[in-house]
Amino acid sequence: MSDSYIGKDVIRKEAWDKVSGRAKYNSDYSSPNLLHGVLVCSNCAHGYIKRLDYSQAVNMPGVKKILTGADYSILCGSIIQDRPPLAVGKVRYYGEPVALVIAASEAEASAAAVRVVVEYEKLPTVNSPAEAIQAGAPLVHDYLGDYKHVIPEVYPTPGTNIVHQVKIRKGDMQQGWADSVCVIEGSYLLPQADHIAMETRNARAEVLPDGQIIIHSSSQAPFGIRKQISEHFGVELGKVVVHVPLVGGAYGGKAAVQLEFLAVMASMATGGQPVMISNTREQDIMASPGKIGLEARIKLGADAKGILKAGEYTFLLGTGAYADTGPRMGNSIAMNCTGPYKIDNVWCDTYCLYTNHTYVTSFRGFGHSSLTFAVERSMDKLAAAMNMDPLELRRRNLITPGQTSPSQVMMTPSILGNVPACLDKVAKLINWDKGARIRLDNQRIKAKGLACFWKTSNSPTDAFAAAIISFNSDASINLNVGAVKIGPSTKTTLAQILAEIMQVDINKIHVEMEVNTRTSPHHWKTVASMTTFMVGRAVEEAAYDAIHQILSLAAIVLQCAPGDLHMSPGRVYYKDDPGLYVDLADIVHGYKYPNGHTIGSQIIGRGTYVMSRLSPMNKETGQGKTGPYWTPGAQAVEIELNLADYSYKILRAATVLDAGKVLNPASARGLVMGAMGMGLGLGSREYYIYDQEQTLQNSSLRTYKVLRIGEQPEYLVDWIETPHEASAFGERGLAEHGILGIHAALANALSEAAGVELDQLPVLPELIWQKRKEQQL
Amino acid sequence: MIPFDFEYYRPSSTSEAVQIFMELDAAGKNPRYYGGGTELISMARMNSLSFGAVIDIKAIPECNVLEIDNGHLMLGTTLTLTRLHESNLFPLLAQAGSRVADHTIQSKITLGGNLCGSIIYKEALLPLLLTDTEALIAGPSGMKTRQVNAIFNQSVQLEPAEFIVQLHMAEKYLALPYIHVKKTKQDKINYPLVTICALKNGQEIRVAFSGVSDFPFRCSNMEAALNERSRPIDSRVARALEVMPVRVLNNLEGSADFRRFILTNLLTSVVGSLEADAI
């Protein structure tokens, strides 16, 4: 085969089904015996449940059963088990599920749900991470010390709202400050926000007469669901089967297990009937988990040349009412707290704190987008204080191989990639040398901002992936992996890897889109931009396994050694004489001699991959390596600010990241552009708005605003390719990364244009006006 | 999903509509007149509004009129904002309507729905306030005509069984110089921080506002201040804001102080542009 599939724009395998509307998502299913569950959600942010009366609701037409927290004593959570699926005794956030109405139809369940009466005795609320950490703050959880830890590395402080803390202690801070001639400090505020995946979260469950639990969910973590359901309901792991079809966007929000518990409870309560629970948009925003809030303080010291000498970081991570993956995101933030810069003396304290807001789960970037905002605003402050070009300051400090990360991982080109090359390329893309601030007329200013980022994963150290390939008799191949199809074209990219190694036409590779935990090989979770890396390695191994089997069989047929043979599209031939060959179709289901004797049978290749040499972070110093490699990059945004009303246009947004090797450029570009759009939304308009009683004010898309078509800037995307030697073809994950620094670049550009420090998100015209008024500008 | 059942009626005349309304009302059905449905559906879905019946008035021929007759533009109240925009018979109204919600919703929202719904901004009202528009109203005592300014005065002053069938305005207003400006918190498609519609009738500037307070308004004292041409624009605008008869809105879209800032700048530029004939 002359053409390589690597580095080619390959249209995703499911494209036709999707664009023609034929693709099926989880809640597209209907059946006459399917029951529907509708949640009753709390309208109180913190309070005791004084009365919960469903006597009227339960007699409504079609209603089968109503469940409350009293029916199941389960506490769930993937790190610390602190959350009842339905509130027990008290509610901790506005939107928390307090009851579940199960009825024959969604309409009947909805009609009954509004007749469930709940009265609360209000408690004082914890309104922000800063309030949460204060001595004497109201406690969101009274019995924090009693909760079961799922992993050993979580460190709550009972009697407080601190559910976890992480430290980084590297170098000698005293020396660092002594070596600094310029010191800056900044405080940053990032409110919580929502994923707004196009498909809202939904799940259905059915308990079969033999005790098997069958779950269909829109999830990134089918194997996580299986494990948690098995544990909490005391059902053997193998008797829980989780199916996940195509997922309509996830962004981390579908890595949490929430509705699955409720669907299983509902099915158990109705004699095992199948029950569907599907969030409305409003419930998806207020009841299901969102993005972390972050309050950050950063102090940086640099010498006369602008070289960073010391960095002190305090992060207060708001995890909302329950921990979910909040503590792990705290680790992520601490581990990469400096951003992609070399600093020898680092002190970081990260606290993961309960508040009375919607609880959180992973969100594109896993804490890094919030972190990067604080770091990159600080870099611009330092550049201003030193009267240096922000580009030049960054250039002088970027981390390079031979240096160590905050958690003291030694960098190599393979582990780190090339950060300076990314920055230089993005500066060219945005024409940085043409001026960072241009006055257009007496009202309008054009300005640019920069940001650099890096990210690695923070997975369990034993997270693994697997792949199975099986041949059909026409020599086409079925590829079966445990990764979920959530949007980034992963399964097509995996097919490219397989096609390339096996030298087969990619159209002859059939990828199973659905995951079934009973028949798909295990995969940790489809998260962390690690799927192409982890599953890619497993696919590689499965391909080599199959090739070995094919060549061994062909060697018998062609009466030579396997090493004498070569795979080519459709056939295996003798290297010395390509005229001597056997067709693949004649051996992949065994080879049948003319006399009927047959040797071999179906070729099935298997491959697995576990990340190597990872270790959790040390409790006192943070030392450890939680991810195999970093993907770094640099971003820039150009805006036009109108001084008459502080409205602004986002003109251009650029990203250059070190992709290792771009496997599918068109889909990679799409991913990075989509991530930039998401980040610019967070930068300019998306956030949860709470009133004084911590009632969520914008739980509908009428008031929770996302970037629309027409508000998107011109996107510029380019790559650096420094291979990650351990990946298939050297690729690095890139699905999240376009989001990481883009709102920092936006705030840097707007701060430059407006002449004020814009240190919180989103940057609304009113914020710019407020800051300028404070400065009497 | 709407968590309750309701009845649906589609009368073909105004009198039939009013009669159905009165019967349903007497039967305790809590009926609502129904135009595009965007607000009734979305509020009912959230259970923040309930009703036992809706009376869809879109099949009433008089409600769909769109013509100039005898020197007056006649607009049926079930015309959609999209229809008004596409016909462009009254450019200021076309423009004001085209900045309400998004394109998909504009092709559902009716003129009457925008005026009489519960969302406080009613941006299609502003051009009507500026043009001495009269409303043709159907009600229990038959048809009557009232000034729009009198009906929409701090609240919608219609009897429960009444609905507006048509709006009539003199043709002379349609071609006058005008300005429509809308500023939002951030997004193009959102409720207004401040929306201003202004007309220049001879030398007289007329101005109406949405988003500034909890009900759209036009104020003769403010216009008097703005039209005092002997004084510089800045001081006229400052004077107009002093006599402004409303409490400035403070909500999710923006604080009262920020609204005042935006309003001051917008008003200055609107008056300046109209006086300079720069439109």
Coordinates of all heavy atoms in Angstrom, one line a residue, chain A residues 106-107 110-111 114-115 280-282 642-648 684-685 687 689 697-699 702-703 705-708 711 763-766 769 773, chain B residues 1-4 38-39 42-43 45-47 102 119 183-191 193 251-259 261-262 265-266:
Chain A
E106 N -43.6 9.5 30.6 CA -42.9 10.7 31.1 C -43.9 11.8 31.5 O -43.7 12.5 32.5 CB -42.0 11.2 30.1 CG -41.0 12.2 30.6 CD -40.0 12.7 29.5 OE1 -40.0 12.2 28.4 OE2 -39.3 13.7 29.8
A107 N -45.0 11.9 30.7 CA -46.0 12.9 31.0 C -46.7 12.7 32.4 O -46.8 13.6 33.2 CB -47.1 12.9 29.9
S110 N -44.2 13.4 35.1 CA -44.0 14.9 35.3 C -45.2 15.5 36.0 O -45.0 16.3 36.9 CB -43.9 15.6 33.9 OG -42.8 15.0 33.2
A111 N -46.4 15.1 35.7 CA -47.6 15.6 36.3 C -47.6 15.3 37.8 O -47.9 16.1 38.6 CB -48.8 15.1 35.6
V114 N -44.8 17.3 40.1 CA -45.1 18.7 40.7 C -46.0 18.6 41.9 O -46.3 19.6 42.5 CB -45.6 19.6 39.6 CG1 -44.7 19.7 38.4 CG2 -47.0 19.1 39.1
R115 N -46.6 17.5 42.2 CA -47.5 17.4 43.3 C -46.8 16.8 44.5 O -47.4 16.5 45.6 CB -48.7 16.6 42.9 CG -49.6 17.4 42.1 CD -50.9 16.7 41.8 NE -52.0 17.5 41.3 CZ -52.0 18.0 40.1 NH1 -51.0 17.7 39.2 NH2 -53.0 18.8 39.7
T280 N -34.0 16.8 31.8 CA -34.4 18.0 31.0 C -33.1 18.8 31.0 O -32.2 18.6 31.8 CB -35.5 18.8 31.7 OG1 -35.0 19.2 33.0 CG2 -36.8 18.0 31.8
R281 N -33.1 19.8 30.1 CA -31.9 20.7 30.1 C -31.7 21.3 31.5 O -30.6 21.5 32.0 CB -32.0 21.8 29.0 CG -30.9 22.8 29.0 CD -29.6 22.1 28.7 NE -29.5 21.5 27.4 CZ -28.4 20.7 27.0 NH1 -27.4 20.5 27.8 NH2 -28.4 20.2 25.8
E282 N -32.8 21.7 32.1 CA -32.7 22.5 33.3 C -32.1 21.5 34.4 O -31.3 22.0 35.2 CB -34.1 23.0 33.8 CG -34.6 24.1 32.9 CD -35.1 23.7 31.5 OE1 -35.3 22.5 31.3 OE2 -35.4 24.6 30.7
N642 N -14.8 48.2 22.4 CA -15.4 49.5 22.2 C -15.5 50.2 23.5 O -16.2 49.7 24.5 CB -16.8 49.2 21.6 CG -17.5 50.5 21.2 OD1 -17.2 51.6 21.8 ND2 -18.5 50.4 20.3
L643 N -14.8 51.3 23.6 CA -14.8 52.0 24.9 C -16.1 52.7 25.3 O -16.3 53.1 26.4 CB -13.6 53.0 24.9 CG -12.2 52.4 24.9 CD1 -11.2 53.5 24.7 CD2 -11.9 51.7 26.2
A644 N -17.0 52.8 24.3 CA -18.2 53.5 24.6 C -19.1 52.7 25.5 O -19.9 53.2 26.4 CB -19.0 53.9 23.3
D645 N -19.1 51.4 25.4 CA -20.0 50.6 26.2 C -19.3 49.3 26.7 O -19.9 48.4 27.3 CB -21.2 50.2 25.4 CG -20.9 49.5 24.1 OD1 -19.8 49.1 23.9 OD2 -21.8 49.5 23.2
Y646 N -18.0 49.2 26.4 CA -17.1 48.0 26.8 C -17.6 46.7 26.2 O -17.3 45.6 26.7 CB -17.0 47.9 28.3 CG -16.4 49.2 28.8 CD1 -17.2 50.1 29.7 CD2 -15.2 49.7 28.4 CE1 -16.7 51.3 30.1 CE2 -14.7 50.9 28.8 CZ -15.4 51.7 29.7 OH -14.9 52.9 30.1
S647 N -18.4 46.8 25.1 CA -18.7 45.6 24.4 C -17.4 45.2 23.6 O -16.6 46.1 23.3 CB -19.9 45.8 23.5 OG -19.6 46.8 22.5
Y648 N -17.3 44.0 23.3 CA -16.1 43.6 22.5 C -16.4 42.5 21.5 O -17.4 41.7 21.7 CB -14.9 43.2 23.4 CG -15.2 42.0 24.3 CD1 -15.0 40.7 23.9 CD2 -15.6 42.2 25.6 CE1 -15.2 39.7 24.7 CE2 -15.8 41.2 26.5 CZ -15.6 39.9 26.0 OH -15.8 38.8 26.9
S684 N -16.2 34.5 28.3 CA -17.0 35.7 28.0 C -18.4 35.7 28.5 O -19.1 36.7 28.5 CB -17.0 35.9 26.4 OG -17.6 34.8 25.8
R685 N -19.0 34.5 28.8 CA -20.4 34.5 29.2 C -20.9 33.4 30.0 O -22.0 33.5 30.7 CB -21.3 34.6 27.9 CG -21.1 33.4 27.0 CD -21.5 33.7 25.6 NE -20.4 34.6 25.0 CZ -20.5 35.4 24.0 NH1 -21.7 35.5 23.4 NH2 -19.5 36.1 23.5
Y687 N -21.5 31.0 33.1 CA -21.2 30.8 34.5 C -22.6 30.6 35.2 O -23.6 31.0 34.8 CB -20.5 32.0 35.1 CG -21.2 33.3 35.2 CD1 -21.4 34.0 36.3 CD2 -21.7 33.9 34.0 CE1 -22.0 35.2 36.4 CE2 -22.3 35.1 34.0 CZ -22.5 35.8 35.2 OH -23.1 37.0 35.2
I689 N -25.0 31.5 38.0 CA -25.3 32.7 38.8 C -26.2 32.3 40.0 O -27.3 31.7 39.8 CB -26.1 33.8 37.9 CG1 -25.3 34.1 36.7 CG2 -26.3 35.0 38.7 CD1 -26.1 34.9 35.7
Q697 N -29.7 30.8 39.4 CA -30.6 31.7 38.7 C -30.7 31.4 37.2 O -31.6 31.9 36.6 CB -30.0 33.1 38.9 CG -30.0 33.6 40.3 CD -31.4 33.9 40.8 OE1 -32.0 34.8 40.4 NE2 -31.8 33.0 41.7
N698 N -29.7 30.7 36.7 CA -29.7 30.5 35.2 C -29.6 29.0 34.9 O -28.6 28.6 34.3 CB -28.6 31.4 34.5 CG -27.3 31.1 35.1 OD1 -27.1 30.5 36.2 ND2 -26.3 31.4 34.3
S699 N -30.7 28.3 35.2 CA -30.6 26.9 34.9 C -31.3 26.6 33.5 O -31.7 25.4 33.3 CB -31.2 26.1 36.0 OG -32.6 26.5 36.2
R702 N -32.1 29.8 28.1 CA -32.5 31.2 27.9 C -31.6 32.2 28.7 O -31.4 33.3 28.2 CB -33.9 31.3 28.5 CG -34.7 32.5 28.0 CD -36.1 32.5 28.7 NE -37.0 31.6 28.0 CZ -38.2 32.0 27.6 NH1 -38.6 33.3 27.7 NH2 -39.0 31.2 27.0
T703 N -31.1 31.7 29.8 CA -30.3 32.6 30.6 C -28.9 32.1 30.8 O -28.0 32.9 31.1 CB -30.9 32.8 32.0 OG1 -31.4 31.5 32.5 CG2 -32.1 33.7 32.0
K705 N -25.9 31.4 28.9 CA -25.6 31.7 27.5 C -24.4 30.9 27.0 O -23.4 30.9 27.7 CB -25.3 33.2 27.4 CG -26.6 34.0 27.6 CD -27.6 33.8 26.5 CE -28.8 34.7 26.7 NZ -29.7 34.4 25.5
V706 N -24.5 30.4 25.8 CA -23.3 29.8 25.2 C -23.0 30.5 23.9 O -23.9 31.2 23.4 CB -23.5 28.3 24.9 CG1 -23.6 27.5 26.2 CG2 -24.7 28.0 24.1
L707 N -21.8 30.4 23.4 CA -21.4 31.0 22.2 C -22.3 30.5 21.0 O -22.5 29.3 20.9 CB -19.9 30.7 21.9 CG -19.0 31.7 21.3 CD1 -18.9 33.0 22.1 CD2 -17.6 31.1 21.2
R708 N -22.8 31.4 20.2 CA -23.6 31.0 19.1 C -22.8 31.1 17.8 O -21.8 31.9 17.7 CB -24.8 31.9 18.9 CG -25.9 31.6 20.0 CD -27.0 32.6 19.8 NE -28.0 32.5 20.9 CZ -29.2 31.9 20.7 NH1 -29.6 31.5 19.6 NH2 -30.0 31.8 21.7
E711 N -21.0 34.3 16.6 CA -20.2 35.0 17.6 C -18.8 34.3 17.7 O -18.0 34.7 18.5 CB -20.9 34.8 19.0 CG -22.1 35.7 19.0 CD -23.0 35.5 20.2 OE1 -23.1 34.3 20.7 OE2 -23.7 36.4 20.7
V763 N -15.5 37.5 31.5 CA -15.2 38.9 31.3 C -16.4 39.5 30.5 O -16.6 39.4 29.3 CB -13.9 39.2 30.5 CG1 -13.7 40.7 30.5 CG2 -12.8 38.5 31.2
L764 N -17.3 40.1 31.3 CA -18.5 40.8 30.7 C -18.2 42.3 30.6 O -17.4 42.8 31.3 CB -19.7 40.6 31.7 CG -20.2 39.1 31.9 CD1 -21.0 39.0 33.1 CD2 -20.9 38.7 30.6
P765 N -18.9 42.9 29.6 CA -18.7 44.4 29.5 C -18.9 45.1 30.9 O -18.1 46.0 31.2 CB -19.7 44.8 28.5 CG -19.9 43.6 27.6 CD -19.7 42.4 28.6
E766 N -19.8 44.6 31.6 CA -20.0 45.3 32.9 C -18.8 45.2 33.9 O -18.5 46.1 34.6 CB -21.3 44.8 33.6 CG -21.6 45.5 35.0 CD -23.0 45.3 35.5 OE1 -23.8 44.6 34.9 OE2 -23.2 45.9 36.6
W769 N -16.3 47.7 32.8 CA -16.8 49.0 33.2 C -16.5 49.2 34.7 O -16.0 50.3 35.1 CB -18.3 49.1 32.9 CG -19.0 50.3 33.5 CD1 -19.0 51.6 33.1 CD2 -19.8 50.2 34.7 NE1 -19.8 52.4 34.0 CE2 -20.3 51.6 35.0 CE3 -20.2 49.2 35.6 CZ2 -21.1 51.9 36.0 CZ3 -21.1 49.5 36.6 CH2 -21.5 50.8 36.9
K773 N -14.1 51.9 36.4 CA -14.7 52.9 37.3 C -13.9 52.9 38.6 O -13.6 53.9 39.2 CB -16.1 52.5 37.6 CG -17.0 53.7 38.0 CD -18.4 53.4 38.1 CE -18.8 52.6 39.3 NZ -20.2 52.7 39.7
Chain B
M1 N -41.4 18.6 29.1 CA -42.8 18.1 29.0 C -43.8 18.9 29.8 O -43.5 19.2 31.0 CB -42.8 16.6 29.4 CG -44.1 16.0 29.1 SD -43.9 14.2 29.1 CE -43.1 13.9 27.5
I2 N -44.9 19.3 29.2 CA -45.9 20.0 30.0 C -46.6 19.1 31.0 O -47.2 18.1 30.6 CB -46.9 20.7 29.0 CG1 -46.1 21.8 28.2 CG2 -48.0 21.4 29.8 CD1 -47.0 22.5 27.2
P3 N -46.5 19.4 32.3 CA -47.0 18.4 33.3 C -48.5 18.5 33.6 O -48.9 18.2 34.6 CB -46.2 18.8 34.5 CG -45.9 20.2 34.4 CD -45.8 20.5 32.9
F4 N -49.3 19.0 32.6 CA -50.7 19.0 32.8 C -51.4 19.0 31.5 O -50.8 19.3 30.5 CB -51.2 20.3 33.6 CG -50.7 21.6 33.0 CD1 -51.5 22.2 32.0 CD2 -49.5 22.2 33.4 CE1 -51.1 23.4 31.4 CE2 -49.1 23.4 32.8 CZ -49.9 24.0 31.8
T38 N -44.7 30.5 22.2 CA -43.4 30.3 22.8 C -43.3 30.5 24.3 O -42.6 29.8 25.0 CB -42.4 31.3 22.1 OG1 -42.8 32.6 22.3 CG2 -42.3 31.0 20.6
E39 N -44.1 31.5 24.8 CA -44.0 31.7 26.2 C -44.9 30.7 27.0 O -44.4 30.2 28.0 CB -44.4 33.2 26.4 CG -44.0 33.7 27.8 CD -44.3 35.2 28.0 OE1 -43.9 36.0 27.1 OE2 -45.0 35.5 28.9
S42 N -43.0 27.3 27.0 CA -41.8 27.2 27.8 C -42.1 27.4 29.3 O -41.5 26.8 30.2 CB -40.7 28.2 27.3 OG -41.2 29.5 27.3
M43 N -43.1 28.3 29.6 CA -43.4 28.5 31.1 C -44.2 27.3 31.6 O -44.0 26.9 32.7 CB -44.2 29.8 31.3 CG -43.3 31.0 31.0 SD -44.2 32.5 31.2 CE -44.4 32.6 33.0
R45 N -43.9 24.2 30.6 CA -42.9 23.1 30.7 C -42.2 23.2 32.1 O -41.9 22.2 32.7 CB -41.9 23.3 29.6 CG -41.4 22.1 28.9 CD -40.3 22.4 28.0 NE -39.1 21.8 28.5 CZ -38.0 22.5 29.0 NH1 -38.0 23.8 29.0 NH2 -37.0 21.8 29.5
M46 N -41.9 24.4 32.5 CA -41.2 24.6 33.8 C -42.2 24.6 34.9 O -41.8 24.9 36.1 CB -40.5 25.9 33.8 CG -39.3 26.0 32.7 SD -38.2 24.6 33.0 CE -37.6 25.0 34.6
N47 N -43.5 24.4 34.6 CA -44.5 24.5 35.7 C -44.6 25.8 36.3 O -45.1 26.0 37.5 CB -44.3 23.4 36.7 CG -45.6 23.1 37.4 OD1 -46.7 23.0 36.8 ND2 -45.5 22.9 38.7
D102 N -34.2 34.6 19.0 CA -33.4 34.2 17.8 C -34.3 33.9 16.6 O -35.5 34.0 16.7 CB -32.5 33.0 18.1 CG -33.3 31.7 18.5 OD1 -34.4 31.5 17.9 OD2 -32.8 31.0 19.3
I119 N -43.1 38.3 29.6 CA -41.7 38.7 29.6 C -41.7 40.3 29.5 O -42.5 40.8 28.7 CB -40.9 38.1 28.4 CG1 -40.8 36.6 28.7 CG2 -39.6 38.8 28.2 CD1 -40.2 35.8 27.5
K183 N -28.6 47.1 23.4 CA -27.4 46.7 24.1 C -27.8 45.6 25.1 O -28.8 45.7 25.8 CB -26.7 47.8 24.8 CG -26.1 48.9 23.9 CD -24.9 48.3 23.2 CE -24.5 49.4 22.1 NZ -23.4 48.8 21.2
T184 N -27.0 44.5 25.0 CA -27.2 43.4 26.0 C -26.0 43.2 26.9 O -25.0 43.8 26.7 CB -27.4 42.1 25.2 OG1 -26.2 41.8 24.5 CG2 -28.6 42.2 24.2
K185 N -26.2 42.3 27.8 CA -25.2 42.0 28.7 C -23.9 41.5 28.0 O -22.8 41.9 28.3 CB -25.7 40.8 29.6 CG -24.8 40.3 30.7 CD -25.4 39.2 31.4 CE -24.6 38.7 32.6 NZ -25.4 37.6 33.3
Q186 N -24.1 40.7 27.0 CA -22.9 40.2 26.2 C -23.4 39.7 24.9 O -22.8 40.0 23.8 CB -22.2 39.1 27.0 CG -21.0 38.4 26.3 CD -19.8 39.3 26.3 OE1 -19.8 40.3 25.6 NE2 -18.8 39.0 27.0
D187 N -24.4 38.8 24.8 CA -24.7 38.1 23.6 C -25.6 38.9 22.7 O -26.4 39.7 23.2 CB -25.5 36.8 24.0 CG -24.6 35.9 24.9 OD1 -24.5 36.2 26.1 OD2 -24.1 34.9 24.4
K188 N -25.5 38.7 21.4 CA -26.4 39.4 20.5 C -27.9 39.0 20.8 O -28.8 39.8 20.8 CB -26.1 39.0 19.1 CG -27.0 39.7 18.1 CD -26.6 39.4 16.7 CE -27.6 40.2 15.8 NZ -27.6 39.7 14.4
I189 N -28.1 37.7 21.1 CA -29.4 37.2 21.3 C -29.6 37.1 22.8 O -29.2 36.2 23.5 CB -29.7 35.9 20.6 CG1 -29.6 36.2 19.1 CG2 -31.0 35.3 21.0 CD1 -29.3 35.0 18.3
N190 N -30.3 38.1 23.4 CA -30.5 38.1 24.8 C -31.6 39.2 25.1 O -31.9 40.0 24.2 CB -29.2 38.4 25.6 CG -29.3 37.9 27.0 OD1 -30.4 37.5 27.5 ND2 -28.2 38.0 27.8
Y191 N -32.0 39.2 26.3 CA -32.9 40.3 26.7 C -32.1 41.6 26.7 O -30.8 41.6 26.9 CB -33.4 40.1 28.2 CG -34.2 38.8 28.3 CD1 -33.9 37.8 29.2 CD2 -35.3 38.6 27.4 CE1 -34.7 36.7 29.3 CE2 -36.1 37.4 27.5 CZ -35.8 36.5 28.4 OH -36.5 35.3 28.5
L193 N -30.2 45.0 27.9 CA -29.9 45.9 29.0 C -30.6 47.2 28.8 O -31.3 47.7 29.7 CB -28.4 46.3 29.0 CG -27.3 45.4 29.7 CD1 -26.0 46.0 29.3 CD2 -27.6 45.5 31.2
N251 N -31.0 43.5 37.5 CA -31.3 42.1 37.4 C -30.1 41.3 36.8 O -29.0 41.9 36.7 CB -32.6 41.9 36.7 CG -32.5 42.3 35.2 OD1 -31.4 42.6 34.7 ND2 -33.6 42.2 34.5
L252 N -30.3 40.1 36.4 CA -29.3 39.2 35.9 C -28.5 39.8 34.7 O -27.4 39.6 34.5 CB -29.9 37.9 35.4 CG -30.3 36.8 36.4 CD1 -30.6 35.6 35.6 CD2 -29.3 36.6 37.4
E253 N -29.2 40.7 34.0 CA -28.6 41.2 32.8 C -27.6 42.3 33.1 O -26.7 42.5 32.4 CB -29.7 41.8 31.8 CG -30.8 40.8 31.5 CD -30.3 39.5 31.0 OE1 -29.3 39.4 30.4 OE2 -31.0 38.5 31.3
G254 N -27.9 43.0 34.2 CA -26.9 44.1 34.6 C -27.4 44.9 35.7 O -28.6 44.8 36.1
S255 N -26.5 45.6 36.4 CA -26.9 46.4 37.5 C -27.6 47.7 37.0 O -27.4 48.1 35.9 CB -25.7 46.7 38.4 OG -24.8 47.6 37.6
A256 N -28.3 48.4 38.0 CA -28.9 49.6 37.6 C -27.8 50.7 37.2 O -28.0 51.5 36.3 CB -29.7 50.1 38.8
D257 N -26.7 50.7 37.9 CA -25.7 51.7 37.6 C -25.1 51.5 36.2 O -24.8 52.4 35.5 CB -24.5 51.5 38.6 CG -24.8 52.3 39.9 OD1 -25.9 53.0 40.0 OD2 -24.0 52.1 40.9
F258 N -24.9 50.2 35.9 CA -24.3 49.9 34.5 C -25.4 50.3 33.5 O -25.0 50.9 32.4 CB -23.9 48.5 34.4 CG -23.2 48.1 33.1 CD1 -22.1 48.8 32.7 CD2 -23.7 47.1 32.3 CE1 -21.5 48.5 31.5 CE2 -23.1 46.8 31.1 CZ -21.9 47.5 30.7
R259 N -26.6 50.0 33.8 CA -27.7 50.4 32.8 C -27.7 51.9 32.6 O -27.9 52.4 31.5 CB -29.1 50.0 33.3 CG -29.4 48.5 33.0 CD -30.8 48.2 33.2 NE -31.3 47.1 32.5 CZ -31.3 45.8 33.0 NH1 -30.9 45.6 34.2 NH2 -31.7 44.8 32.2
F261 N -25.2 53.9 32.9 CA -24.0 54.3 32.1 C -24.3 54.0 30.6 O -24.1 54.9 29.7 CB -22.9 53.4 32.5 CG -21.7 53.4 31.6 CD1 -20.8 54.4 31.4 CD2 -21.5 52.2 30.8 CE1 -19.8 54.4 30.5 CE2 -20.4 52.1 29.9 CZ -19.6 53.2 29.8
I262 N -24.9 52.8 30.3 CA -25.2 52.5 28.9 C -26.3 53.4 28.3 O -26.1 53.9 27.2 CB -25.7 51.0 28.8 CG1 -24.6 50.0 29.2 CG2 -26.3 50.7 27.5 CD1 -23.5 49.9 28.2
N265 N -24.9 56.9 27.4 CA -24.1 56.9 26.2 C -25.0 56.7 24.9 O -24.8 57.4 23.9 CB -23.1 55.8 26.2 CG -21.9 56.2 27.1 OD1 -21.8 57.3 27.5 ND2 -21.1 55.2 27.4
L266 N -25.9 55.8 25.1 CA -26.8 55.5 23.9 C -27.7 56.7 23.6 O -27.8 57.0 22.4 CB -27.7 54.3 24.2 CG -27.1 52.9 24.1 CD1 -28.2 51.8 24.3 CD2 -26.4 52.7 22.7

